[in-house]
Amino acid sequence: AADEAAFPGGLCDAFEAEKVRKHLPSIRAHNSTDTFFAFVLDEHGAIGPQGLDFLDYLFARATGGSPAALKTYWMRRLAVVTARRVHAILFGQVRGYVRNRDPARRPAADEVTEQTECAHDGDTEATPAGRPSPAPGEAVGDGT
């Protein structure tokens, strides 16, 4: 967290590089002319460089308004939605949120075969910085 405070966007850059490493080879193998943008958004609403490039690409081709005005509007909208969802995650249980205790439906045998070959590649085992990812619902701290 201290590194992120000193160098904002560092985590977005690291996760973006990890997405490129993970997904770009299979995209290039399928069709080398496809364009891939690794879109990373952090809990504060910051977007990685490739995500910003994607938004520039998207709004430059949009009709019905100024590309700069469209980008500004949608980046603000995205920041507001991100802030609301982070708030709901952090404070939802304080306000009486009740988690659904019903287990998820188990997939049928023929549904499992439709998963990608990367489904169990260990992308949840560690973050790009090498720190173990927290389990779902586990508190995230600095480890001190």
Side-chain angles (χ1 to χ4, degrees), residues 1-133:
D3 292 340
E4 185 67 15
F7 304 104
L11 285 175
C12 281
D13 292 345
F15 281 109
E16 188 175 274
E18 182 63 22
K19 275 189 161 188
V20 168
R21 183 202 62 77
K22 178 180 177 181
H23 298 292
L24 190 60
S26 62
I27 291 169
R28 290 285 185 246
H30 177 70
N31 186 350
S32 63
T33 61
D34 283 347
T35 302
F36 173 71
F37 294 95
F39 197 100
V40 177
L41 175 71
D42 75 4
E43 70 272 15
H44 303 291
I47 300 173
Q50 287 191 24
L52 293 173
D53 289 345
F54 172 71
L55 292 176
D56 289 338
Y57 175 84
L58 183 69
F59 295 124
R61 285 153 182 76
T63 59
S66 161
L70 286 169
K71 182 179 178 184
T72 300
Y73 171 79
W74 284 107
M75 289 194 55
R76 287 180 180 170
R77 247 339 252 146
L78 190 57
V80 168
V81 170
T82 302
R84 285 183 178 161
R85 295 312 307 150
V86 168
H87 179 79
I89 291 167
L90 294 175
F91 300 107
Q93 294 182 355
V94 174
R95 294 202 175 136
Y97 171 80
V98 178
R99 179 178 287 165
N100 183 2
R101 300 285 182 201
D102 295 331
R105 180 184 70 81
R106 296 194 53 86
D110 61 335
E111 293 175 329
V112 177
T113 59
E114 294 188 18
Q115 296 216 4
T116 66
E117 64 183 61
C118 299
H120 304 289
D121 63 357
D123 61 346
T124 59
E125 292 175 10
T127 62
R131 294 181 300 272
S133 296

